[in-house]
Amino acid sequence: MILDSKIPEGPLAEKWDKHKFNVKLVNPANKRKYDVIVVGTGLAGASAAATLGELGYNVKAFCFQDSPRRAHSIAAQGGINAAKNYQNDGDSVFRLFYDTIKGGDYRAREANVYRLAQVSVDIIDQCVAQGVPFAREYGGLLANRSFGGAQVSRTFYARGQTGQQLLLGAYSALNRQIAYGKVKMYPRTEMLDLVMVDGKARGIVVRNLITGKIESHSAHAVVLATGGYGNVFFLSTNAMGSNATAAWRAHKKGALFANPCFTQIHPTCIPVSGDYQSKLTLMSESLRNDGRVWVPKTVEIAQRLRKGEIRVSDIKEEDRDYYLERKYPAFGNLVPRDVASRNAKLMCDEGRGVGASGLAVFLDFADAIKREGQPAIAAKYGNLFDMYAKITDENPYENPMRIYPAVHYTMGGLWVDYNLMTNIPGLYATGECNFSDHGANRLGASALMQGLADGYFVIPYTIGDYLAQNPTTKVTTDHPAFKEAEQAVIAKNNQLLSINGTRTVDDFHKALGLLMWDYCGMARNAEGLKFAKQEIRKLRDEFWRDVKVTGVNEELNITLEKANRVADFLELGELMVDDALNRNESCGGHFREEYQTPENEALRDDENYAYVAAWEFTGVGNEPVLHKEDLKFENVKLTQRSYK
């Protein structure tokens, strides 16, 4: 299989504009003859469905939540990047492009990343026009703040609720098209399979989560916008319902899965406090603008603090190690997420961690409060401070926050070309669901940017190019391919319900998550990965022998929903391990302990691994087939990343 990325010819800055001119168009009268399915209603899905509906296509939108506005995009806190240069501090489209390529440790396509930087400026205008209440300076101009991996202020924000406000904007646009009848919305409906006819994506099989009814929907093209797979680790910052089923079932139908081992660990999360937890809570990266990260300078002081012999206020300034400021003077606390996370782990591994478990570091706002006053800090971060206080019962205005890295975002996903189409004709993947824009590490405030860029400004052009080359002839759900897919879904559900074992679905999920975190988490090595692969296979075999799924299919059955998702995670987890084992280098969020510099930084191998690893499914338990898309860098120089 040859992977054709379909990157346009010509200078980097002209590729997208030329491509938009060269794509084939569908005239307005014909658009109403085409049906498009959009799965997922987060920022990528809602913006795509709304825009496609406004263009005149007939859109069916699906989400498993009770409302599109409950998509997990709502949980994003800190902001959205755009190269507006309002601060006049040296930002530009090229600088945003460069920061993103460098932040991803040179494992992303130049053309896709540059396009993302280009359209970022239009996203802000679009959202302001929708009424998104971005923060403003005293004079009325939109405010910006800094995020990790950049030395300019380019992040637009709405306090700590940016994702919620952006999603409400996209949701409003979506509702408008629903009211006009151009988008038909299917909430509480989960995609369980992709249907292909003559080698092309022509529909999906879904389960109504209220009644359990299995039904099919046909279309001329299918757009997946279903987010990432961070919940394979069980404990993550994702919503409990976030899952990989839609993308994984498409993968099993032939869509290549790219770079699955590229998982982002977010450095500022509330630490794990016990086995009872079902998820972790993110504290926005924006807090690192004013908060200073530190640990005690010695193991002895850290031990006394953990035992309660001394308080934080007893630790003198000279006995505090502001390790990010010490090690990375140019960026300080605003180093990228992978660097900040790895260093927090290093401090805790040395025995200098804080909190009862020793698995935490401090994020301290004392200097900022002294400098600006508590009201000013509350105006910037008040809702985040309130959330921290409610969860921990500690006042972050008076004591430093305790934070520790946690699984957050996944840079891997379905392989797509420049048009965001997978290797299956007619199947598109947008937002976190695809692999395309972030390389081995996502810069903060870029997830919202990619989701809206794909939905508002990319997919409306590129899907038209595909549809214009395909007839308007409809395929009905009576086609044998739909019936076959429905029967397969029903059979799998019946199999899960019939096992009647002794272990709960959550029990298996927790066991898988622990394996993934311990051996394929912040640090990996060959020995641990090989062990994890064996253990995941054993766990998967046991799952299909001993899982207990109660109830029946023909009703609301959350246990059956979870079982389907965990079954997919048990297969995806093994592929993540395979990918991590194959990539004998360290880059971004993929840190192989065998490959690091003397200063414990990620050590890439550009000669052998400057490629996208796209995996082909060959059957459960069989070894996947690796396809490589070589990455070409014509506009940036491949160098060892340095934030010092």
Side-chain angles (χ1 to χ4, degrees):
M1 185 186 298
I2 298 174
L3 296 181
D4 182 5
S5 60
K6 295 185 173 64
I7 295 172
E9 298 294 329
L12 186 66
E14 299 174 12
K15 288 181 187 293
W16 178 232
D17 288 336
K18 284 186 175 180
H19 189 64
K20 284 192 292 183
F21 180 77
N22 290 329
V23 296
K24 290 181 169 55
L25 301 177
V26 181
N27 80 56
N30 283 340
K31 283 175 181 169
R32 65 178 70 103
K33 299 176 184 177
Y34 287 105
D35 301 327
V36 179
I37 284 172
V38 178
V39 186
T41 57
L43 286 180
S47 58
T51 308
L52 293 171
E54 190 163 3
L55 286 172
Y57 297 107
N58 305 309
V59 180
K60 289 183 177 181
F62 297 82
C63 70
F64 67 77
Q65 297 93 346
D66 57 358
S67 166
R69 70 181 181 275
R70 290 178 63 83
H72 191 55
S73 301
I74 204 170
Q77 298 169 347
I80 177 171
N81 288 331
K84 286 285 198 181
N85 195 31
Y86 283 167
Q87 307 298 309
N88 198 28
D89 57 358
D91 200 12
S92 64
V93 168
F94 190 87
R95 188 176 294 279
L96 176 53
F97 156 75
Y98 178 76
D99 286 347
T100 306
I101 285 283
K102 178 184 175 183
D105 220 348
Y106 306 93
R107 290 295 177 262
R109 284 195 201 122
E110 280 192 339
N112 285 66
V113 175
Y114 193 87
R115 176 176 64 188
L116 179 65
Q118 266 182 301
V119 303
S120 70
V121 297
D122 299 322
I123 295 170
I124 301 304
D125 296 338
Q126 169 92 3
C127 295
V128 169
Q130 289 176 338
V132 173
F134 288 118
R136 293 180 181 268
E137 303 289 0
Y138 178 74
L141 295 176
L142 296 181
N144 288 128
R145 56 189 178 200
S146 300
F147 255 62
Q151 291 178 303
V152 297
S153 295
R154 64 162 69 100
T155 304
F156 296 78
Y157 62 97
R159 295 191 78 185
Q161 307 168 354
T162 313
Q164 179 180 5
Q165 299 302 329
L166 290 172
L167 185 60
L168 288 173
Y171 174 63
S172 298
L174 176 62
N175 269 347
R176 184 167 178 262
Q177 296 308 314
I178 293 171
Y180 286 159
K182 294 308 296 180
V183 176
K184 186 168 183 182
M185 189 68 228
Y186 293 86
R188 297 310 307 260
T189 306
E190 184 163 28
M191 172 181 162
L192 293 180
D193 209 353
L194 175 74
V195 180
M196 293 168 58
V197 177
D198 298 329
K200 298 177 181 179
R202 294 305 302 261
I204 60 174
V205 175
V206 300
R207 180 174 182 267
N208 183 311
L209 298 182
I210 303 296
T211 66
K213 183 180 179 182
I214 304 298
E215 52 191 22
S216 293
H217 296 269
S218 67
H220 294 90
V222 177
V223 179
L224 299 185
T226 50
Y229 48 91
N231 272 353
V232 71
F233 292 88
F234 187 72
L235 284 180
S236 80
T237 65
N238 289 268
M240 286 297 292
S242 298
N243 65 86
T245 288
W248 189 250
R249 302 288 170 93
H251 172 59
K252 294 175 77 167
K253 282 293 180 75
L256 301 181
F257 210 101
N259 298 337
C261 79
F262 287 169
T263 305
Q264 180 169 83
I265 314 294
H266 197 294
T268 53
C269 299
I270 296 178
V272 177
S273 57
D275 294 338
Y276 55 84
Q277 279 185 265
S278 57
K279 74 178 299 296
L280 297 174
T281 303
L282 168 71
M283 299 306 296
S284 170
E285 183 175 15
S286 63
L287 294 170
R288 289 198 279 149
N289 272 291
D290 289 298
R292 300 180 71 190
V293 181
W294 65 275
V295 292
K297 269 190 178 175
T298 67
V299 174
E300 181 190 1
I301 296 174
Q303 287 176 338
R304 293 185 64 201
L305 183 64
R306 291 197 294 270
K307 291 176 182 176
E309 295 174 2
I310 57 173
R311 295 175 299 178
V312 179
S313 56
D314 296 329
I315 303 176
K316 299 176 182 177
E317 190 69 17
E318 59 266 26
D319 292 328
R320 302 181 177 195
D321 181 10
Y322 297 93
Y323 57 90
L324 292 177
E325 298 172 33
R326 169 174 57 84
K327 296 177 73 171
Y328 307 98
F331 281 74
N333 295 301
L334 287 173
V335 293
R337 292 174 176 179
D338 60 319
V339 177
S341 295
R342 217 159 30 242
N343 277 276
K345 181 179 185 297
L346 196 61
M347 295 301 109
C348 294
D349 288 348
E350 289 178 4
R352 294 195 283 148
V354 300
S357 66
L359 294 176
V361 299
F362 285 130
L363 181 61
D364 197 337
F365 289 85
D367 287 350
I369 291 171
K370 184 177 180 181
R371 182 177 65 247
E372 299 182 29
Q374 184 170 318
I377 298 301
K380 290 182 185 178
Y381 313 114
N383 63 309
L384 298 171
F385 277 51
D386 291 345
M387 184 168 67
Y388 182 87
K390 286 179 181 177
I391 292 172
T392 64
D393 198 28
E394 296 173 11
N395 187 339
Y397 293 105
E398 298 175 358
N399 295 296
M401 290 183 179
R402 288 177 292 106
I403 57 169
Y404 193 69
V407 172
H408 180 53
Y409 187 93
T410 49
M411 286 75 67
L414 294 180
W415 181 90
V416 292
D417 61 19
Y418 189 71
N419 294 320
L420 304 185
M421 187 159 72
T422 68
N423 57 296
I424 295 177
L427 177 66
Y428 292 80
T430 61
E432 190 180 1
C433 182
N434 73 33
F435 87 98
S436 68
D437 292 359
H438 305 297
N441 175 60
R442 178 177 68 78
L443 288 186
S446 288
L448 307 185
M449 176 173 64
Q450 187 208 349
L452 292 178
D454 289 355
Y456 282 137
F457 298 106
V458 179
I459 202 75
Y461 285 98
T462 59
I463 202 169
D465 184 54
Y466 170 76
L467 294 173
Q469 301 176 63
N470 284 273
T472 59
T473 311
K474 297 182 186 291
V475 173
T476 71
T477 54
D478 291 330
H479 191 283
F482 283 91
K483 298 306 176 186
E484 183 181 336
E486 284 182 15
Q487 290 306 312
V489 166
I490 292 169
K492 187 166 191 175
N493 286 349
N494 289 339
Q495 184 181 3
L496 286 167
L497 289 163
S498 66
I499 295 170
N500 197 29
T502 61
R503 291 181 65 180
T504 66
V505 176
D506 280 348
D507 193 28
F508 281 103
H509 196 178
K510 286 180 181 179
L512 173 65
L514 192 59
L515 279 171
M516 296 300 297
W517 178 249
D518 286 347
Y519 300 104
C520 198
M522 257 195 289
R524 304 104 184 251
N525 59 59
E527 182 182 357
L529 289 165
K530 290 174 182 175
F531 173 77
K533 183 178 174 74
Q534 293 176 346
E535 293 303 305
I536 291 170
R537 287 191 164 192
K538 290 178 186 175
L539 189 65
R540 189 170 63 234
D541 290 342
E542 188 176 350
F543 174 88
W544 286 104
R545 286 196 318 268
D546 198 30
V547 70
K548 187 174 186 66
V549 182
T550 55
V552 297
N553 177 69
E554 292 73 26
E555 65 180 10
L556 174 68
N557 190 337
I558 294 173
T559 306
L560 179 59
E561 291 174 38
K562 286 183 180 179
N564 262 302
R565 297 164 187 170
V566 172
D568 294 330
F569 282 143
L570 284 162
E571 295 168 9
L572 171 58
E574 184 178 350
L575 183 64
M576 293 171 68
V577 168
D578 286 336
D579 190 42
L581 198 52
N582 166 75
R583 193 170 282 276
N584 294 320
E585 64 166 355
S586 291
C587 55
H590 168 65
F591 192 77
R592 283 282 296 273
E593 293 171 343
E594 307 96 318
Y595 307 102
Q596 54 183 301
T597 69
E599 297 175 314
N600 303 115
E601 303 292 346
L603 184 61
R604 292 194 324 272
D605 180 353
D606 295 328
E607 184 176 346
N608 295 305
Y609 293 97
Y611 63 73
V612 176
W615 297 91
E616 179 183 353
F617 181 77
T618 60
V620 178
N622 297 333
E623 295 302 314
V625 175
L626 172 63
H627 302 276
K628 300 177 182 179
E629 179 200 335
D630 292 328
L631 293 168
K632 298 174 183 177
F633 295 93
E634 300 170 350
N635 299 275
V636 297
K637 183 180 179 182
L638 290 170
T639 58
Q640 173 67 37
R641 267 199 317 168
S642 175
Y643 293 93
K644 297 188 176 183

PDB file of all heavy atoms in Angstrom, residues 352-367:
ATOM      1  N   ARG A 352      11.675  13.785  45.710  1.00  0.00           N
ATOM      2  CA  ARG A 352      11.401  15.164  46.126  1.00  0.00           C
ATOM      3  C   ARG A 352       9.960  15.581  45.849  1.00  0.00           C
ATOM      4  O   ARG A 352       9.627  16.765  45.894  1.00  0.00           O
ATOM      5  CB  ARG A 352      12.382  16.123  45.448  1.00  0.00           C
ATOM      6  CG  ARG A 352      13.821  15.914  45.912  1.00  0.00           C
ATOM      7  CD  ARG A 352      14.702  17.070  45.541  1.00  0.00           C
ATOM      8  NE  ARG A 352      15.082  17.064  44.125  1.00  0.00           N
ATOM      9  CZ  ARG A 352      15.303  18.156  43.413  1.00  0.00           C
ATOM     10  NH1 ARG A 352      15.128  19.344  43.964  1.00  0.00           N
ATOM     11  NH2 ARG A 352      15.678  18.068  42.155  1.00  0.00           N
ATOM     12  N   GLY A 353       9.099  14.595  45.550  1.00  0.00           N
ATOM     13  CA  GLY A 353       7.694  14.896  45.328  1.00  0.00           C
ATOM     14  C   GLY A 353       6.997  15.282  46.615  1.00  0.00           C
ATOM     15  O   GLY A 353       7.484  15.018  47.718  1.00  0.00           O
ATOM     16  N   VAL A 354       5.836  15.923  46.492  1.00  0.00           N
ATOM     17  CA  VAL A 354       5.096  16.404  47.662  1.00  0.00           C
ATOM     18  C   VAL A 354       3.734  15.708  47.720  1.00  0.00           C
ATOM     19  O   VAL A 354       3.386  14.915  46.850  1.00  0.00           O
ATOM     20  CB  VAL A 354       4.940  17.938  47.608  1.00  0.00           C
ATOM     21  CG1 VAL A 354       6.302  18.601  47.583  1.00  0.00           C
ATOM     22  CG2 VAL A 354       4.107  18.367  46.383  1.00  0.00           C
ATOM     23  N   GLY A 355       2.962  16.034  48.749  1.00  0.00           N
ATOM     24  CA  GLY A 355       1.679  15.369  48.947  1.00  0.00           C
ATOM     25  C   GLY A 355       1.874  14.031  49.635  1.00  0.00           C
ATOM     26  O   GLY A 355       2.999  13.512  49.736  1.00  0.00           O
ATOM     27  N   ALA A 356       0.797  13.443  50.085  1.00  0.00           N
ATOM     28  CA  ALA A 356       0.868  12.189  50.845  1.00  0.00           C
ATOM     29  C   ALA A 356       1.529  11.077  50.041  1.00  0.00           C
ATOM     30  O   ALA A 356       2.270  10.256  50.584  1.00  0.00           O
ATOM     31  CB  ALA A 356      -0.544  11.774  51.270  1.00  0.00           C
ATOM     32  N   SER A 357       1.279  11.044  48.742  1.00  0.00           N
ATOM     33  CA  SER A 357       1.832   9.968  47.909  1.00  0.00           C
ATOM     34  C   SER A 357       3.244  10.251  47.432  1.00  0.00           C
ATOM     35  O   SER A 357       3.946   9.344  46.973  1.00  0.00           O
ATOM     36  CB  SER A 357       0.927   9.754  46.684  1.00  0.00           C
ATOM     37  OG  SER A 357       0.973  10.904  45.840  1.00  0.00           O
ATOM     38  N   GLY A 358       3.655  11.498  47.504  1.00  0.00           N
ATOM     39  CA  GLY A 358       4.954  11.874  46.945  1.00  0.00           C
ATOM     40  C   GLY A 358       4.920  12.015  45.439  1.00  0.00           C
ATOM     41  O   GLY A 358       5.942  12.265  44.809  1.00  0.00           O
ATOM     42  N   LEU A 359       3.732  11.870  44.847  1.00  0.00           N
ATOM     43  CA  LEU A 359       3.581  11.991  43.394  1.00  0.00           C
ATOM     44  C   LEU A 359       2.864  13.299  43.072  1.00  0.00           C
ATOM     45  O   LEU A 359       1.731  13.326  42.578  1.00  0.00           O
ATOM     46  CB  LEU A 359       2.814  10.795  42.828  1.00  0.00           C
ATOM     47  CG  LEU A 359       3.517   9.443  42.932  1.00  0.00           C
ATOM     48  CD1 LEU A 359       2.628   8.322  42.421  1.00  0.00           C
ATOM     49  CD2 LEU A 359       4.837   9.468  42.150  1.00  0.00           C
ATOM     50  N   ALA A 360       3.538  14.405  43.370  1.00  0.00           N
ATOM     51  CA  ALA A 360       3.007  15.730  43.064  1.00  0.00           C
ATOM     52  C   ALA A 360       4.134  16.747  43.175  1.00  0.00           C
ATOM     53  O   ALA A 360       5.157  16.504  43.835  1.00  0.00           O
ATOM     54  CB  ALA A 360       1.857  16.092  44.007  1.00  0.00           C
ATOM     55  N   VAL A 361       3.948  17.871  42.498  1.00  0.00           N
ATOM     56  CA  VAL A 361       4.848  19.018  42.640  1.00  0.00           C
ATOM     57  C   VAL A 361       3.967  20.227  42.926  1.00  0.00           C
ATOM     58  O   VAL A 361       2.749  20.186  42.769  1.00  0.00           O
ATOM     59  CB  VAL A 361       5.699  19.248  41.376  1.00  0.00           C
ATOM     60  CG1 VAL A 361       6.581  18.037  41.095  1.00  0.00           C
ATOM     61  CG2 VAL A 361       4.827  19.551  40.150  1.00  0.00           C
ATOM     62  N   PHE A 362       4.595  21.322  43.341  1.00  0.00           N
ATOM     63  CA  PHE A 362       3.823  22.514  43.669  1.00  0.00           C
ATOM     64  C   PHE A 362       3.683  23.441  42.455  1.00  0.00           C
ATOM     65  O   PHE A 362       4.613  23.588  41.653  1.00  0.00           O
ATOM     66  CB  PHE A 362       4.489  23.297  44.800  1.00  0.00           C
ATOM     67  CG  PHE A 362       4.326  22.675  46.159  1.00  0.00           C
ATOM     68  CD1 PHE A 362       5.423  22.477  46.988  1.00  0.00           C
ATOM     69  CD2 PHE A 362       3.074  22.306  46.627  1.00  0.00           C
ATOM     70  CE1 PHE A 362       5.280  21.909  48.247  1.00  0.00           C
ATOM     71  CE2 PHE A 362       2.912  21.735  47.878  1.00  0.00           C
ATOM     72  CZ  PHE A 362       4.019  21.536  48.690  1.00  0.00           C
ATOM     73  N   LEU A 363       2.505  24.083  42.358  1.00  0.00           N
ATOM     74  CA  LEU A 363       2.279  25.178  41.420  1.00  0.00           C
ATOM     75  C   LEU A 363       1.854  26.358  42.287  1.00  0.00           C
ATOM     76  O   LEU A 363       0.738  26.396  42.810  1.00  0.00           O
ATOM     77  CB  LEU A 363       1.185  24.809  40.411  1.00  0.00           C
ATOM     78  CG  LEU A 363       0.856  25.853  39.330  1.00  0.00           C
ATOM     79  CD1 LEU A 363       2.075  26.139  38.464  1.00  0.00           C
ATOM     80  CD2 LEU A 363      -0.306  25.374  38.456  1.00  0.00           C
ATOM     81  N   ASP A 364       2.754  27.312  42.443  1.00  0.00           N
ATOM     82  CA  ASP A 364       2.665  28.317  43.500  1.00  0.00           C
ATOM     83  C   ASP A 364       2.354  29.701  42.916  1.00  0.00           C
ATOM     84  O   ASP A 364       3.051  30.174  42.020  1.00  0.00           O
ATOM     85  CB  ASP A 364       3.997  28.352  44.244  1.00  0.00           C
ATOM     86  CG  ASP A 364       3.898  29.041  45.586  1.00  0.00           C
ATOM     87  OD1 ASP A 364       2.972  29.843  45.776  1.00  0.00           O
ATOM     88  OD2 ASP A 364       4.762  28.776  46.451  1.00  0.00           O
ATOM     89  N   PHE A 365       1.320  30.347  43.461  1.00  0.00           N
ATOM     90  CA  PHE A 365       0.904  31.659  42.964  1.00  0.00           C
ATOM     91  C   PHE A 365       1.247  32.790  43.938  1.00  0.00           C
ATOM     92  O   PHE A 365       0.802  33.926  43.752  1.00  0.00           O
ATOM     93  CB  PHE A 365      -0.607  31.668  42.690  1.00  0.00           C
ATOM     94  CG  PHE A 365      -0.981  30.858  41.490  1.00  0.00           C
ATOM     95  CD1 PHE A 365      -1.188  29.490  41.608  1.00  0.00           C
ATOM     96  CD2 PHE A 365      -1.084  31.436  40.239  1.00  0.00           C
ATOM     97  CE1 PHE A 365      -1.510  28.723  40.501  1.00  0.00           C
ATOM     98  CE2 PHE A 365      -1.394  30.680  39.126  1.00  0.00           C
ATOM     99  CZ  PHE A 365      -1.609  29.322  39.254  1.00  0.00           C
ATOM    100  N   ALA A 366       2.044  32.491  44.948  1.00  0.00           N
ATOM    101  CA  ALA A 366       2.341  33.496  45.973  1.00  0.00           C
ATOM    102  C   ALA A 366       2.981  34.745  45.364  1.00  0.00           C
ATOM    103  O   ALA A 366       2.599  35.879  45.691  1.00  0.00           O
ATOM    104  CB  ALA A 366       3.248  32.905  47.049  1.00  0.00           C
ATOM    105  N   ASP A 367       3.955  34.561  44.482  1.00  0.00           N
ATOM    106  CA  ASP A 367       4.631  35.717  43.879  1.00  0.00           C
ATOM    107  C   ASP A 367       3.679  36.523  43.013  1.00  0.00           C
ATOM    108  O   ASP A 367       3.709  37.760  43.011  1.00  0.00           O
ATOM    109  CB  ASP A 367       5.824  35.255  43.038  1.00  0.00           C
ATOM    110  CG  ASP A 367       6.991  34.785  43.899  1.00  0.00           C
ATOM    111  OD1 ASP A 367       6.933  34.992  45.126  1.00  0.00           O
ATOM    112  OD2 ASP A 367       7.950  34.216  43.349  1.00  0.00           O
TER     113      ASP A 367
END
